[in-house]
Amino acid sequence: MISGIKEYLFIVNKQHIDQYKALFGDGGNLGIKIEYAIQESSGGIAEALIIGEDFLNNSPSVVILGDNLIYGNLLESTLKNVASKNEGATIFLQKVKDPQRFCVALFDDKSKIIDLIEKPKEDFSDLAVIGLYFYDKDAPNYAKTLKKSHRGEFEITDLNKIYLKENRLNYELMGRGFTWLDMGTFDSLNEAQSFVNIIQNKQGFKRNIY
């Protein structure tokens, strides 16, 4: 919302779609427009761009995972700057202590990304790709060329590698001024709840938490 986006597509499973609709409605009370789509099975993150192709209607897009929380004083200006670009793709990176859990970016000596490695077994890099991606209008067509991985999913890393191969993959490094939490487990969800509670109680208002 703070980057100026007004139209949203919530992609959820059929078991939870009614709960999302009851909570968010059509987005009118937030000054936005929300539509809904069902992902029938665990087809991977990149499948979202295939499901949402008609919704996007040949427009640039942003994909954000529902279990990611991002906080930072410069978040608004960063997102607006990235959103102003209409060509290529932009990923966001943050240093982590357990890179083997994530996809990491590998750089050359000129700070240019040369590879994206999913859940590395060796310490190639400690800069993880977080669950926020900006894409140009080509992303749905690229996503449709992907083959499913051994997990039976269309991998977002494979999509990003297409942009990397074409030299059209940009990145933003989220430094110490940003907090990123992956709420994919009960422990990390509890950690995120505590973080939000502290921020709101200290500052007295809700801001820049997504």
Side-chain angles (χ1 to χ4, degrees), residues 6-20:
K6 298 293 186 180
E7 297 177 78
Y8 295 79
L9 179 66
F10 282 20
I11 300 176
V12 301
N13 62 47
K14 63 175 62 177
Q15 288 79 18
H16 295 143
I17 190 168
D18 290 337
Q19 293 171 291
Y20 279 98

Side-chain angles (χ1 to χ4, degrees), residues 1-206:
M1 292 170 63
I2 61 175
S3 63
I5 297 172
K6 298 293 186 180
E7 297 177 78
Y8 295 79
L9 179 66
F10 282 20
I11 300 176
V12 301
N13 62 47
K14 63 175 62 177
Q15 288 79 18
H16 295 143
I17 190 168
D18 290 337
Q19 293 171 291
Y20 279 98
K21 286 182 176 179
L23 182 61
F24 293 102
D26 63 1
N29 62 321
L30 299 172
I32 59 177
K33 179 182 178 182
I34 298 175
E35 296 183 23
Y36 298 85
I38 293 174
Q39 187 175 30
E40 297 290 349
S41 60
S42 299
I45 302 169
E47 189 180 37
L49 289 152
I50 301 173
I51 295 172
E53 183 176 18
D54 290 340
F55 169 83
L56 293 174
N57 192 26
N58 210 36
S59 297
S61 61
V62 181
V63 175
I64 183 168
L65 308 190
D67 62 359
N68 276 224
L69 181 149
I70 305 168
Y71 174 85
N73 188 47
L74 297 176
L75 183 59
E76 181 173 355
S77 59
T78 299
L79 295 183
K80 284 184 176 180
N81 178 59
V82 175
S84 67
K85 304 173 185 177
N86 292 320
E87 292 294 330
T90 300
I91 59 175
F92 294 78
L93 308 173
Q94 188 166 73
K95 185 176 181 178
V96 294
K97 66 178 182 180
D98 50 353
Q100 67 277 4
R101 292 182 53 218
F102 307 100
C103 172
V104 299
L106 184 63
F107 291 83
D108 62 14
D109 56 4
K110 297 181 179 179
S111 297
K112 180 179 179 180
I113 296 178
I114 56 175
D115 200 4
L116 298 171
I117 304 172
E118 192 71 39
K119 296 179 174 58
K121 295 181 179 180
E122 299 181 31
D123 295 333
F124 294 111
S125 169
D126 59 0
L127 290 175
V129 181
I130 75 171
L132 174 64
Y133 317 88
F134 279 67
Y135 294 111
D136 63 16
K137 62 181 179 61
D138 297 324
N141 286 329
Y142 287 161
K144 288 188 289 185
T145 70
L146 299 177
K147 295 181 179 180
K148 288 187 176 181
S149 68
H150 66 278
R151 300 192 302 173
E153 298 183 359
F154 296 105
E155 303 289 351
I156 199 73
T157 298
D158 290 341
L159 175 61
N160 292 333
K161 283 186 174 181
I162 293 177
Y163 282 95
L164 177 61
K165 184 178 180 180
E166 294 186 347
N167 199 32
R168 299 204 297 139
L169 182 67
N170 307 301
Y171 70 90
E172 289 284 336
L173 182 59
M174 305 186 84
R176 294 184 179 183
F178 293 94
T179 295
W180 165 59
L181 298 175
D182 181 345
M183 301 176 289
T185 66
F186 285 112
D187 286 343
S188 58
L189 182 61
N190 183 61
E191 181 183 33
Q193 186 274 334
S194 298
F195 174 80
V196 172
N197 185 60
I198 291 170
I199 293 295
Q200 292 181 356
N201 285 340
K202 286 287 186 180
Q203 298 182 348
F205 58 88
K206 304 173 184 178

